[in-house]
Amino acid sequence: MSSIKLNAKTELEMYRQCVEDAFNQIVITDKDGIIIYANNAVKRVTGFSLTEILGKKVGTKKLWGGIMAPEFYKNLWRTIKHEKSDFVGEIQNRRKNGELYTAEVTISPVFDSNGEIEYFIGIERDITKQKELEQAQTSLVSIASHQLRTPLTVIHGVLAELEETEGSSKIRKELIRQAREGEKRMGNLVNDLLDLSKIELGGFKVVKRKVNVDDFLRNIESEVVPIFDKKKQKLVIHTHRMKFLYVDPELTHEAVINLLTNASKYSSTESEIHLRLELQKKDNEAIISVQDFGIGIKKEDQPNIFNRFYRSENAKEADPTGAGLGLVIAKSIVESSGGRIWFESELGVGTTFYISIPQQRRRIENGK
Ligand code: ADP
């Protein structure tokens, strides 16, 4: 027992009272899922009374459950009953008044002294409000980014006209250049926010097709070379004689561009950046990697860099303009394509990011 200085009766009373009044819903069932205990929160959240709840089977339409797809419950029972493990998930339930609610649920088997399941304990937290708020925030980001596009297009047009009109004073040129920079940064941020809201609304819709590697690379080069030129950096491409890729060209393009622009931002002038395309025959995956010889990522920062808005201190110093969204977007694109993204990095030495994307079963290299 982990409590201190309590006699058995007081201790039992303490447990009873704490469980009874806990904020989260707590339900105890026998090994067949028949409810033998429900705390006050269950009554408050579901609207059912104790007499309606006790003795009934949990997770059915007679009470607050039973509205998820049958596979959900199958998986749940398999986890807790056959695999004898904890089930953790999000579930939609229905209150007695018919209203739907979303709950975060954990169900654990409780074993007797012979290791047989004796009870199940389910702990639920009503997260409906939180979900609604997240949804509202996502919609807001999506709407705001769409709305920002219109004034941005106006600014873009006006600047283009200004550039063409008479007047060549140094100050004028410098002001236009600064405005252009600002416009570009804002445009990138709007695009990133739009992508982020797409991710939150269910990820990217990936349409894979056979893509010519030369065309794919030409598009990438024409986008990044002007960026690299500003820092006199050199893009070195290794294709390992691959001729075709099986990817969503636009989305994969975006993911690779994000990695290449990072490589440029986070390495010094006149450095080389290597882009490699390889076919891993064993797993039938295309591996695209981007290697730089730049600032690197500290060990402590490494677990965080795929988190939204996360930027390491050395990255902020090297380039104050990022939003910390490029890798979140790249990761979502790659994972929606059935692939993986990972990296190797050493502080002050450099970083290599890898993307793997599953290819069609038949051989696709050399056009076969
Ligand atoms: P941003 O570049 O806008 O900050 P990203 O999501 O693209 O956002 O990257 C998140 C963080 O990961 C960066 O701020 C930086 O700390 C780290 N990072 C990404 N790529 C590199 C790289 N090539 N070299 C060093 N650090 C990197």
Side-chain angles (χ1 to χ4, degrees):
M1 284 286 145
S2 41
S3 54
I4 44 165
K5 285 194 206 146
L6 293 173
N7 65 42
K9 186 164 166 269
T10 333
E11 186 167 314
L12 201 62
E13 180 55 21
M14 175 193 75
Y15 287 141
R16 197 196 61 76
Q17 217 172 316
C18 290
V19 173
E20 193 73 1
D21 293 338
F23 177 74
N24 291 345
Q25 298 112 270
I26 301 178
V27 168
I28 301 174
T29 76
D30 67 10
K31 62 181 181 359
D32 299 314
I34 303 296
I35 302 174
I36 50 183
Y37 174 81
N39 72 348
N40 286 326
V42 177
K43 293 182 263 173
R44 185 188 74 236
V45 172
T46 68
F48 288 97
S49 70
L50 260 195
T51 34
E52 287 170 309
I53 296 172
L54 296 180
K56 296 238 175 70
K57 184 150 172 132
V58 78
T60 65
K61 284 197 173 132
K62 289 205 174 112
L63 293 172
W64 53 85
I67 59 169
M68 301 290 285
E71 297 79 56
F72 178 90
Y73 299 102
K74 252 192 232 160
N75 174 36
L76 187 160
W77 282 110
R78 191 182 56 241
T79 309
I80 58 175
K81 205 162 180 167
H82 301 295
E83 293 168 13
K84 298 185 176 173
S85 335
D86 299 325
F87 175 87
V88 183
E90 239 177 65
I91 192 168
Q92 278 262 298
N93 284 330
R94 198 192 303 276
R95 304 186 215 277
K96 192 180 172 187
N97 66 8
E99 198 180 285
L100 292 176
Y101 71 95
T102 311
E104 205 172 66
V105 59
T106 313
I107 306 172
S108 313
V110 179
F111 304 97
D112 64 15
S113 52
N114 300 320
E116 297 298 326
I117 294 176
E118 195 168 16
Y119 308 111
F120 291 109
I121 172 158
I123 302 180
E124 264 191 27
R125 190 162 63 92
D126 184 349
I127 54 166
T128 314
K129 283 257 148 35
Q130 186 183 322
K131 282 266 143 192
E132 282 169 3
L133 201 67
E134 278 171 20
Q135 189 66 31
Q137 275 171 349
T138 305
S139 317
L140 188 72
V141 169
S142 172
I143 294 166
S145 330
H146 274 293
Q147 296 299 324
L148 280 170
R149 277 200 158 164
T150 319
L152 260 176
T153 316
V154 175
I155 295 171
H156 184 83
V158 171
L159 282 173
E161 258 181 53
L162 264 180
E163 273 168 344
E164 279 171 17
T165 52
E166 297 284 302
S168 60
S169 83
K170 257 195 176 158
I171 290 182
R172 184 176 186 276
K173 276 196 178 144
E174 175 54 21
L175 288 177
I176 293 178
R177 193 197 63 75
Q178 284 179 13
R180 270 262 181 251
E181 272 298 306
E183 178 220 346
K184 220 173 102 215
R185 273 170 65 177
M186 194 159 160
N188 288 341
L189 183 63
V190 166
N191 286 339
D192 281 356
L193 287 174
L194 271 173
D195 280 344
L196 186 69
S197 54
K198 263 185 229 154
I199 296 174
E200 304 207 318
L201 293 169
F204 290 96
K205 191 168 161 13
V206 174
V207 185
K208 282 192 189 179
R209 61 179 167 86
K210 193 170 148 186
V211 174
N212 182 297
V213 164
D214 287 341
D215 294 342
F216 181 74
L217 290 174
R218 204 168 308 119
N219 289 335
I220 286 180
E221 270 187 283
S222 66
E223 194 164 334
V224 294
V225 167
I227 301 171
F228 283 23
D229 280 351
K230 282 191 192 151
K231 290 180 82 174
K232 297 198 175 75
Q233 291 161 328
K234 191 172 164 210
L235 176 66
V236 185
I237 296 179
H238 313 256
T239 60
H240 297 274
R241 293 202 300 279
M242 261 179 92
K243 289 218 168 132
F244 295 97
L245 268 173
Y246 183 63
V247 294
D248 181 312
E250 284 80 30
L251 290 177
T252 314
H253 173 95
E254 191 174 336
V256 175
I257 291 287
N258 283 354
L259 300 185
L260 284 168
T261 45
N262 277 352
S264 169
K265 278 197 296 191
Y266 303 125
S267 47
S268 60
T269 48
E270 296 184 19
S271 59
E272 282 188 356
I273 291 156
H274 291 250
L275 170 64
R276 290 189 179 82
L277 252 74
E278 282 168 75
L279 185 74
Q280 262 262 350
K281 290 199 180 128
K282 190 167 72 70
D283 302 317
N284 200 34
E285 292 178 329
I287 311 277
I288 305 176
S289 65
V290 173
Q291 181 183 22
D292 67 55
F293 304 92
I295 60 172
I297 307 169
K298 256 196 202 159
K299 282 266 170 304
E300 304 93 274
D301 292 325
Q302 293 192 0
N304 302 317
I305 66 148
F306 287 108
N307 295 343
R308 59 192 53 182
F309 306 117
Y310 185 84
R311 306 198 66 216
S312 63
E313 285 309 316
N314 66 340
K316 285 187 214 162
E317 260 169 46
D319 187 321
T321 66
L325 290 173
L327 287 180
V328 179
I329 291 160
K331 184 166 188 268
S332 176
I333 289 175
V334 173
E335 289 179 352
S336 305
S337 309
R340 289 173 301 126
I341 184 167
W342 71 100
F343 65 93
E344 288 160 0
S345 185
E346 200 176 324
L347 193 65
V349 176
T351 305
T352 307
F353 274 88
Y354 299 88
I355 287 176
S356 76
I357 299 184
Q359 300 297 289
Q360 269 173 323
R361 270 288 133 217
R362 64 194 169 79
R363 288 177 54 144
I364 60 150
E365 86 275 36
N366 300 325
K368 282 176 206 160

